[in-house]
Amino acid sequence: PLPPIQTIIQYGKKGVQTRIPIHIAASYTEMGALALWCRSLVSTHRWHLQFQLRTVSVPAPVADQEVFESSVVDDVRGLVLEAFSDEASDTLRISLAKDISKRVERPKEQWPLTFIRRMADDLIELETVRAGSAMSESRWLNLLGFCMRPGVADALDPIRMKKIWQIYIQGMCHPNHPQVQSEWWILWRRVAGGLKPGQQRQFFQDLTPVLFPGKGIRKKVAPQQRLEIWMAVANMEHLLAKDKIKCGRILLSEIKPKKSRPQHFWALSRIGARELLYGSVDRVIPAKEAAAWIETLLSINWRDPRPMGAAVAQLARKTGDRARDLDHAHLERVVAWMTQDPHRKQLLKPHLSYLKEVIPMAKQEESNIFGESLPAGIVLHKE
């Protein structure tokens, strides 16, 4: 049995509804997907409607809310191939995302899942362009990460992630270029959900010299790159709780009132989160450890309480599970800190409800916790 399709296809003038006669064409691909096509009988238009026949690791089936006409998809694929050709200019690569948005008449946050995964397939095939120049590599990493986020959803994502992991093994082609460095870590943050526990463990172990240097040995890393590394590690929910504790303690020691940035607090809240997006509950750090981090944060006077308050709300969030929830005294301590000052109470009001009752994650909240918007229809959180 297959789920019903409820979608929007683009045909003719924008915003005008009409009826057209079609024929259904179908093919079973070698990759395990049933490809369905709606072929117009009154024009040359075709629309690809994709069903998933494999079990995926998200709680509910993902269906595109919109399907682009095949000629539009082909045009976009042509733009991608052109931008990453040897003759292309850096200007063309930089403007690629905007050019695609203009062609499909949608901002990139509204590109449907099937569409971005088609682009991801093309980008994976173009992997060798990374060696051409630092600009080619940085733009390729950026677009691939965006098209593959969050690393899991489509039935063929495990196959794609297997190929992408080989890119991690190879490493950066231009490792000394700042923009390539940043885009490298952003890519792994975006696709972390599709990495296996063993792969996340290897990722973490490879960063040990950077995050946990020995005495007298400290690998120099630019502040922005270190921040991107922390954010990538923070999205690795399959890491063991003991590894997360180690990471959280080091990160907490690096967060200073005059040098902290919102991303530091976001990373800490992801590492110590009570509620995970895709990881199992045995990978949640103990409540006592989270309470200790909270006490450290509350003991410091922060200029802007919003990033810290949002982090504390996730560290102390009620789940209904006694093994993960903080005790009543610590919860009351957090609530008191959030409400004792009227201005602070107003700023942190959206987070207070998470400390008083168990609230299921909504899609928008998942996007905020993940760090950026997720493709339409994707639900990461497992009940």
Side-chain angles (χ1 to χ4, degrees):
L2 299 172
I5 280 187
Q6 222 176 8
T7 188
I8 298 172
I9 61 175
Q10 296 301 317
Y11 174 82
K13 293 182 179 180
K14 183 178 179 182
V16 178
Q17 294 186 12
T18 187
R19 287 178 176 270
I20 57 172
I22 61 142
H23 272 171
I24 296 291
S27 62
Y28 183 67
T29 72
E30 294 180 356
M31 305 300 285
L34 177 66
L36 292 182
W37 298 85
C38 289
R39 180 172 61 83
S40 170
L41 298 181
V42 294
S43 68
T44 59
H45 295 85
R46 292 198 313 161
W47 298 269
H48 184 200
L49 306 177
Q50 184 175 355
F51 284 104
Q52 297 183 2
L53 301 184
R54 297 185 178 202
T55 301
V56 294
S57 55
V58 291
V62 179
D64 281 339
Q65 296 178 348
E66 187 173 24
V67 176
F68 297 145
E69 202 273 323
S70 294
S71 64
V72 174
V73 177
D74 291 340
D75 286 349
V76 169
R77 297 179 69 190
L79 289 175
V80 173
L81 291 172
E82 181 184 1
F84 289 105
S85 65
D86 294 336
E87 299 78 19
S89 65
D90 288 344
T91 301
L92 189 61
R93 297 185 182 105
I94 293 172
S95 66
L96 179 57
K98 289 184 179 180
D99 293 340
I100 294 173
S101 289
K102 185 177 180 180
R103 181 65 185 89
V104 301
E105 299 181 336
R106 299 290 183 277
K108 66 178 186 178
E109 291 77 15
Q110 294 179 18
W111 296 349
L113 179 69
T114 302
F115 175 67
I116 61 177
R117 291 304 197 259
R118 287 288 297 277
M119 281 198 290
D121 290 337
D122 289 336
L123 289 165
I124 291 171
E125 291 300 316
L126 292 168
E127 184 269 331
T128 55
V129 305
R130 296 193 300 133
S133 68
M135 178 58 72
S136 293
E137 183 169 25
S138 65
R139 299 318 302 164
W140 183 89
L141 291 168
N142 178 277
L143 188 57
L144 178 64
F146 184 83
C147 290
M148 276 302 300
R149 74 195 202 288
V152 60
D154 186 77
L156 302 182
D157 280 350
I159 297 174
R160 296 184 180 106
M161 288 302 302
K162 186 176 181 179
K163 296 177 181 179
I164 292 173
W165 182 248
Q166 292 304 309
I167 295 166
Y168 174 80
I169 301 300
Q170 297 168 17
M172 292 174 265
C173 293
H174 302 85
N176 297 322
H177 193 276
Q179 190 60 40
V180 172
Q181 293 170 350
S182 293
E183 296 296 351
W184 177 259
W185 303 117
I186 291 172
L187 166 67
W188 300 112
R189 168 174 62 82
R190 283 171 159 170
V191 304
L195 295 177
K196 298 177 181 178
Q199 292 170 334
Q200 292 194 3
R201 175 71 175 169
Q202 181 176 340
F203 184 89
F204 167 72
Q205 290 178 329
D206 291 344
L207 286 170
T208 297
V210 176
L211 300 178
F212 315 105
K215 285 188 177 181
I217 304 174
R218 187 174 183 84
K219 188 173 181 180
K220 287 189 177 181
V221 177
Q224 181 60 37
Q225 185 183 357
R226 189 173 182 83
L227 184 58
E228 296 292 355
I229 290 173
W230 275 125
M231 294 176 71
V233 171
N235 256 2
M236 304 283 173
E237 290 191 353
H238 290 315
L239 291 178
L240 297 174
K242 66 176 184 178
D243 293 331
K244 291 183 178 181
I245 291 173
K246 189 176 179 181
C247 287
R249 289 176 179 178
I250 290 292
L251 177 56
L252 189 60
S253 70
E254 295 180 7
I255 301 178
K256 307 296 181 182
K258 293 184 179 180
K259 295 183 179 181
S260 64
R261 296 173 60 182
Q263 293 92 328
H264 286 114
F265 294 105
W266 177 88
L268 187 69
S269 72
R270 291 287 287 122
I271 295 170
R274 303 294 85 207
E275 201 67 271
L276 301 183
L277 291 176
Y278 63 85
S280 55
V281 294
D282 64 311
R283 303 303 165 100
V284 176
I285 70 168
K288 287 185 177 180
E289 183 70 24
W293 296 2
I294 290 171
E295 286 299 327
T296 299
L297 292 172
L298 296 185
S299 67
I300 300 172
N301 184 25
W302 306 97
R303 288 178 295 180
D304 184 355
R306 286 173 293 185
M308 193 279 273
V312 167
Q314 293 303 321
L315 292 172
R317 181 181 186 141
K318 294 192 73 171
T319 67
D321 179 0
R322 289 187 296 176
R324 286 181 286 161
D325 287 348
L326 274 63
D327 59 41
H328 182 72
H330 280 107
L331 284 174
E332 287 299 309
R333 169 101 163 89
V334 175
V335 171
W337 179 85
M338 287 186 172
T339 58
Q340 66 185 11
D341 177 86
H343 178 63
R344 186 189 300 162
K345 181 179 180 180
Q346 185 62 31
L347 291 175
L348 302 179
K349 186 176 180 181
H351 305 293
L352 276 171
S353 56
Y354 300 131
L355 308 176
K356 297 180 178 180
E357 57 183 318
V358 178
I359 300 178
M361 284 191 187
K363 174 175 169 52
Q364 182 57 46
E365 188 190 356
E366 287 188 354
S367 295
N368 293 337
I369 292 174
F370 181 72
E372 65 181 320
S373 66
L374 295 172
I378 291 180
V379 179
L380 278 178
H381 185 251
K382 296 180 180 179
E383 295 296 339

